[in-house]
Amino acid sequence: MPPRPSLHSLLLMATSASSAAAAAGGDSGLLLAARRRLPAAAGHRIRLLHSFSGPRVPRRAEVACCVRSDPDARPAGPVTVRSRNVHSANNYKAASEGRLGQLVQKLKNEGINPKQWKLGNFQRMMCPKCNGGSNEELSLSVYIRMDGMNASWNCFRSTCGWRGFIQPDGVPKLSQAKTGIKSETDQEVEPNKAANKVYRKISEEDLNLEPLCDELVTYFSERRISAETLRRNKVMQRKWKNKISIAFTYRRDGVVVGCKYREVDKNFSQEANTEKIFYGLDDIKRTQDIIIVEGEIDKLSMDEAGYRNCVSVPDGAPPKVSSKIPDRDQDKKYQYLWNCKDYLDSASRIILATDADPPGQALAEELARRLGKERCWRVKWPKKNETDTCKDANEVLMFLGPQALRKVIKDAELYPIRGLFAFKDFFPEIDNYYLGIHGDELGIRTGWKSMDDLYKVVPGELTVVTGVPNSGKSEWIDALLCNINKECGWKFVLCSMENKVREHARKLLEKRIKKPFFDARYGASAERMTPDEFEAGKQWLNETFHLIRCEDDSLPSINWVLDLAKAAVLRHGVRGLVIDPYNELDHQRPSNQTETEYVSQILTKIKRFAQHHSCHVWFVAHPRQLHNWNGGPPNMYDISGSAHFINKCDNGIVIHRNRDKNAGPLDVVQVCVRKVRNKVIGQIGDAFLTYDRVTGQFKDAGKATIAATTAATVQKQKNSYVKSTKDNVAYEMPFPHVEPADSVDGQDCIF
């Protein structure tokens, strides 16, 4: 025997027979079988409800079961049973009408007030913001949901782009990106078009298309489009409402799938509910190179220039570039790209020849983002006269001819990719460097002749300065800044955490005015700066230096310092930044990051800041504790933290002063240039300066001082030579740069 059907199966099969049985005044056999399946002992009864009264949208046949345990409780007379949707139909209708009333009022408040309101369909009307432009086209598209849950509008004119989205009060807020989500009721009434889009099938006969009349052929000839090109691209016309429109037929494999109409005064319209594809799609089938233009006439112009591998976008250009690319299902504006994906995937080069105006450039960016910038090229439109530039392909054809249009395509350039450049992108900068336009190509002189052959200051570089404590690193940098300001007027921003502001001001003023700040012991018999000199010095301080200071007890991070330095560059035009010292910064780092990795990261940030803002950075870093130190200058590799200090800097300088009277004068400062990346501005070597304790000035040391210092240092090295180890490195003294005369007698020096 065949298997016995289930109750559910019997009910479903009974649906088709129930209507006929009801009309005959009885039950169907399948329904009776379903009744018998229920336990008779329980006294259950089942009835099939197959028709409902009331104003309802036609839908599939419904089966409803009414199960009762008491057969005697059946009420006399007919019993009306309705589904949940039928019970709430009246309430739902009233709620929808209330919501629609609110939407209509809100649309009127926005200036949208058509003669007749349409629900559930896109309605075209005049945009109240742009009034349709000079052609007064109906560019505003308005959509109101039938249930009154929301309404949206969008103006498709590229120079306007006005759009909006509203909801009635009391409805849960929904972002405009989700307006396509339907409610449960909408899903029952309307099919989900996005899930399974069904397009209209159209033909030339259905659209009443006909060959172009002589007037339109003449119109195209004035734009240098030949009749042969029009025939090949199947450009036709349509008579509609006593007007003749140009009909651009969109075809795939020769079959019409869409049609776009253009009146002579540039009013556009398209066939509704048709698939969006490129115009001229069949011309790029299995081609390696594709040209994409913004309009159908531009496509015809490319045809006239001999480029048939060209297509036009169907919907024009957006007013601006979107913030992000939506998912494929939500990418409605550029759905034609997805519909033509098979044609585009085979192309190795895509030339974007969109219009030269801002919307056209925005379209090029949107296309490149979706097609892949690595295979995109862009054109540069030539000038049509001394002042104006051609806007598109048709203007080039009209004003300059087909040869000029061919040259535009031939000279197309790679589409720029952020971070990827060609050398020619920097040719103007290289030209300026060669010609010495800026004046600092060979570096800014330090103000000391003995150092100028070793080290110069170049904008955009990083100099790391080190030395054992109390060697005069900060004093030397201050003196260098004063010399550069005197030489070329640079301004600086100082992040000097070890100096009090008043003490730092004293040091800078003494170097500027060349007189002591106080009548104190260190000033000896020198004359103190006068009040007038002091006031002038304060003005100089304020105009030359800006300070980065923490106003609380927290330590500054490198990001905080660089952000403020950027503000100083943009607001005050500073050209130099001093960070003194490294160990005063906040060095919190992730637990999985080593100190070496951290130092590398912050030095990279500093270098990028320097290069991007053309600002020289001096970064002071102390050496770690030196074991078995012989009194000589430390190595750049001795800096506490990482070898990246010397690896990543452009210039590495060690400031060292003699502390042993037997090794030479105590006021001599040895400036050891240990790294110079750019050979144009310097070389490795040592320079000797003397320090004036009264005024804080540094001067070139003379022959006698250098000779005495060198001899004492060499003798000391012979007596206490220690083989190079990880913590102690012996140096060979480079040949010093010598000035002809001695400058300052030896004296004790405290920095």
Side-chain angles (χ1 to χ4, degrees):
M1 288 182 65
R4 189 179 184 184
S6 66
L7 174 61
H8 179 67
S9 301
L10 289 171
L11 289 173
L12 292 179
M13 289 185 290
T15 304
S16 59
S18 60
S19 297
D27 294 330
S28 67
L30 291 172
L31 180 57
L32 293 175
R35 285 178 175 174
R36 286 195 295 269
R37 290 292 305 277
L38 290 175
H44 289 80
R45 294 291 184 268
I46 183 169
R47 295 166 52 230
L48 180 66
L49 308 175
H50 57 83
S51 63
F52 307 103
S53 60
R56 296 226 25 210
V57 178
R59 53 175 51 184
R60 65 183 186 276
E62 299 185 24
V63 176
C65 291
C66 178
V67 180
R68 293 185 288 106
S69 59
D70 186 3
D72 297 330
R74 181 172 181 175
V79 178
T80 303
V81 182
R82 298 183 179 180
S83 68
R84 176 179 58 85
N85 287 341
V86 175
H87 277 299
S88 61
N90 293 333
N91 293 337
Y92 178 78
K93 181 178 180 181
S96 297
E97 291 176 351
R99 291 191 296 264
L100 287 170
Q102 292 187 44
L103 289 180
V104 168
Q105 186 58 48
K106 290 186 176 184
L107 289 171
K108 289 182 178 180
N109 294 339
E110 296 288 344
I112 301 174
N113 190 15
K115 296 180 180 179
Q116 183 180 1
W117 296 95
K118 295 181 181 180
L119 305 180
N121 289 308
F122 288 95
Q123 184 177 1
R124 298 294 290 270
M125 62 187 68
M126 185 78 72
C127 175
K129 298 295 183 182
C130 64
N131 294 320
S134 58
N135 296 322
E136 297 183 353
E137 56 183 313
L138 303 180
S139 59
L140 186 68
S141 176
V142 181
Y143 182 82
I144 306 174
R145 281 182 48 150
M146 296 186 66
D147 60 0
M149 297 297 287
N150 58 59
S152 59
W153 64 89
N154 183 22
C155 179
F156 292 101
R157 292 189 69 248
S158 59
T159 56
C160 178
W162 181 51
R163 61 178 59 193
F165 173 75
I166 57 173
Q167 290 179 272
D169 299 334
V171 175
K173 295 300 179 183
L174 187 68
S175 67
Q176 189 169 354
K178 297 180 180 180
T179 57
I181 301 177
K182 305 293 184 179
S183 66
E184 180 181 356
T185 306
D186 288 333
Q187 291 175 353
E188 292 176 353
V189 177
E190 300 178 11
N192 189 342
K193 296 180 181 180
N196 188 17
K197 181 72 173 179
V198 178
Y199 299 106
R200 287 172 53 205
K201 291 184 178 180
I202 59 177
S203 64
E204 296 177 11
E205 294 76 13
D206 295 337
L207 302 178
N208 297 319
L209 302 183
E210 55 189 27
L212 291 174
C213 62
D214 294 340
E215 289 80 2
L216 289 180
V217 173
T218 302
Y219 166 78
F220 278 106
S221 66
E222 292 173 352
R223 308 194 70 152
R224 304 193 69 172
I225 307 295
S226 66
E228 175 58 31
T229 298
L230 297 173
R231 282 192 295 272
R232 198 191 77 80
N233 289 275
K234 296 181 173 57
V235 182
M236 308 183 78
Q237 71 177 32
R238 184 185 70 161
K239 294 181 180 179
W240 182 257
K241 294 183 179 180
N242 298 323
K243 288 185 179 180
I244 298 179
S245 300
I246 303 169
F248 297 103
T249 55
Y250 284 67
R251 301 171 184 264
R252 178 189 277 117
D253 297 327
V255 178
V256 179
V257 298
C259 191
K260 185 175 179 179
Y261 305 104
R262 170 185 171 134
E263 298 177 10
V264 177
D265 56 359
K266 291 192 69 172
N267 285 327
F268 293 94
S269 61
Q270 296 189 39
E271 287 294 331
N273 198 24
T274 56
E275 183 182 9
K276 291 297 180 81
I277 62 172
F278 282 112
Y279 177 68
L281 182 63
D282 289 343
D283 287 339
I284 64 169
K285 196 171 186 178
R286 292 186 293 273
T287 58
Q288 295 297 313
D289 291 355
I290 294 175
I291 303 171
I292 299 179
V293 294
E294 192 174 325
E296 292 81 5
I297 293 183
D298 293 329
K299 149 68 178 168
L300 302 178
S301 301
M302 287 292 180
D303 205 322
E304 288 290 338
Y307 294 106
R308 293 188 174 181
N309 56 327
C310 177
V311 292
S312 169
V313 301
D315 291 333
K320 61 181 180 179
V321 180
S322 59
S323 58
K324 64 178 182 179
I325 301 177
D327 295 335
R328 175 173 179 173
D329 293 339
Q330 302 296 327
D331 201 9
K332 303 300 183 183
K333 174 70 175 176
Y334 302 94
Q335 197 62 45
Y336 56 88
L337 292 176
W338 303 104
N339 295 338
C340 303
K341 186 175 184 297
D342 294 340
Y343 292 78
L344 299 169
D345 285 347
S346 61
S348 58
R349 188 170 78 134
I350 300 175
I351 300 175
L352 304 178
T354 56
D355 290 2
D357 56 11
Q361 297 308 299
L363 174 62
E365 178 66 17
E366 294 286 7
L367 294 175
R369 293 162 69 187
R370 291 163 173 80
L371 298 172
K373 293 182 179 180
E374 66 279 358
R375 59 173 179 159
C376 287
W377 298 59
R378 66 178 181 180
V379 300
K380 185 176 181 180
W381 298 115
K383 286 185 173 294
K384 60 183 177 182
N385 52 45
E386 294 182 357
T387 57
D388 299 327
T389 301
C390 292
K391 174 178 172 288
D392 52 30
N394 187 244
E395 282 199 0
V396 176
L397 181 66
M398 291 174 61
F399 288 92
L400 304 176
Q403 291 184 349
L405 187 52
R406 285 193 288 271
K407 188 176 186 303
V408 168
I409 299 301
K410 188 179 298 184
D411 295 342
E413 302 174 344
L414 287 166
Y415 199 89
I417 299 176
R418 185 177 182 182
L420 182 62
F421 303 95
F423 257 109
K424 68 177 182 180
D425 298 328
F426 298 92
F427 278 173
E429 180 180 345
I430 297 173
D431 292 342
N432 293 338
Y433 186 44
Y434 175 76
L435 298 172
I437 298 297
H438 298 294
D440 54 15
E441 288 77 11
L442 299 179
I444 306 297
R445 294 184 178 275
T446 62
W448 301 296
K449 293 181 180 179
S450 60
M451 281 206 63
D452 286 340
D453 291 337
L454 303 178
Y455 171 73
K456 296 185 185 71
V457 177
V458 178
E461 289 191 350
L462 167 64
T463 297
V464 172
V465 180
T466 190
V468 297
N470 203 30
S471 292
K473 300 181 292 296
S474 300
E475 287 275 0
W476 178 80
I477 290 177
D478 286 346
L480 176 62
L481 301 187
C482 291
N483 292 346
I484 294 174
N485 174 259
K486 183 179 179 180
E487 175 76 17
C488 56
W490 274 24
K491 297 179 181 180
F492 308 93
V493 58
L494 309 176
C495 181
S496 182
M497 283 77 74
E498 288 184 334
N499 278 318
K500 294 180 180 179
V501 174
R502 64 183 187 180
E503 292 298 324
H504 205 171
R506 174 185 63 78
K507 296 176 183 178
L508 292 170
L509 288 174
E510 288 178 343
K511 291 175 174 60
R512 171 73 175 181
I513 302 174
K514 302 177 183 179
K515 292 181 179 180
F517 193 84
F518 292 115
D519 281 330
R521 182 178 61 84
Y522 78 91
S525 61
E527 180 185 358
R528 182 187 184 187
M529 64 181 68
T530 66
D532 291 341
E533 291 172 334
F534 174 63
E535 291 298 327
K538 287 197 301 181
Q539 184 67 23
W540 170 79
L541 276 179
N542 190 59
E543 294 175 353
T544 305
F545 299 99
H546 301 273
L547 304 176
I548 295 177
R549 309 285 296 185
C550 268
E551 297 180 354
D552 50 30
D553 294 334
S554 61
L555 293 176
S557 67
I558 190 63
N559 291 333
W560 182 79
V561 172
L562 294 181
D563 285 343
L564 291 177
K566 176 182 177 181
V569 169
L570 299 178
R571 177 175 291 185
H572 304 295
V574 304
R575 301 298 303 277
L577 164 66
V578 177
I579 304 176
D580 180 14
Y582 161 76
N583 60 353
E584 290 288 338
L585 296 173
D586 182 9
H587 298 303
Q588 294 185 15
R589 65 179 191 271
S591 58
N592 59 348
Q593 186 181 43
T594 65
E595 185 177 13
T596 299
E597 293 170 340
Y598 169 74
V599 171
S600 174
Q601 184 181 74
I602 66 170
L603 290 175
T604 298
K605 291 180 180 180
I606 294 173
K607 289 192 66 175
R608 287 180 178 174
F609 166 83
Q611 293 172 2
H612 183 72
H613 296 286
S614 190
C615 178
H616 195 100
V617 179
W618 290 271
F619 195 19
V620 179
H622 295 308
R624 62 177 179 269
Q625 184 177 359
L626 300 178
H627 300 286
N628 302 320
W629 182 45
N630 65 353
N635 195 318
M636 291 291 293
Y637 287 104
D638 291 329
I639 297 177
S640 177
S642 171
H644 282 302
F645 281 105
I646 187 172
N647 295 338
K648 288 207 165 190
C649 69
D650 297 295
N651 309 288
I653 293 178
V654 178
I655 303 297
H656 183 69
R657 76 175 180 91
N658 178 37
R659 289 169 169 78
D660 186 357
K661 293 182 179 180
N662 298 324
L666 296 179
D667 68 333
V668 176
V669 176
Q670 182 179 350
V671 183
C672 309
V673 180
R674 290 291 174 254
K675 179 181 180 181
V676 178
R677 190 185 300 276
N678 184 359
K679 68 178 183 180
V680 173
I681 60 101
Q683 59 185 337
I684 294 176
D686 289 3
F688 293 90
L689 305 174
T690 59
Y691 176 73
D692 185 352
R693 187 169 181 268
V694 175
T695 63
Q697 288 184 293
F698 289 81
K699 299 179 181 179
D700 289 299
K703 277 185 177 181
T705 301
I706 295 174
T709 302
T710 303
T713 303
V714 171
Q715 183 63 37
K716 185 176 181 179
Q717 288 180 347
K718 288 181 179 180
N719 297 335
S720 60
Y721 178 80
V722 180
K723 187 178 180 181
S724 298
T725 62
K726 180 179 180 181
D727 296 321
N728 193 355
V729 180
Y731 291 91
E732 293 184 6
M733 179 64 64
F735 186 78
H737 292 259
V738 182
E739 283 299 300
D742 213 338
S743 57
V744 179
D745 294 334
Q747 59 181 359
D748 191 15
C749 177
I750 299 176
F751 296 96

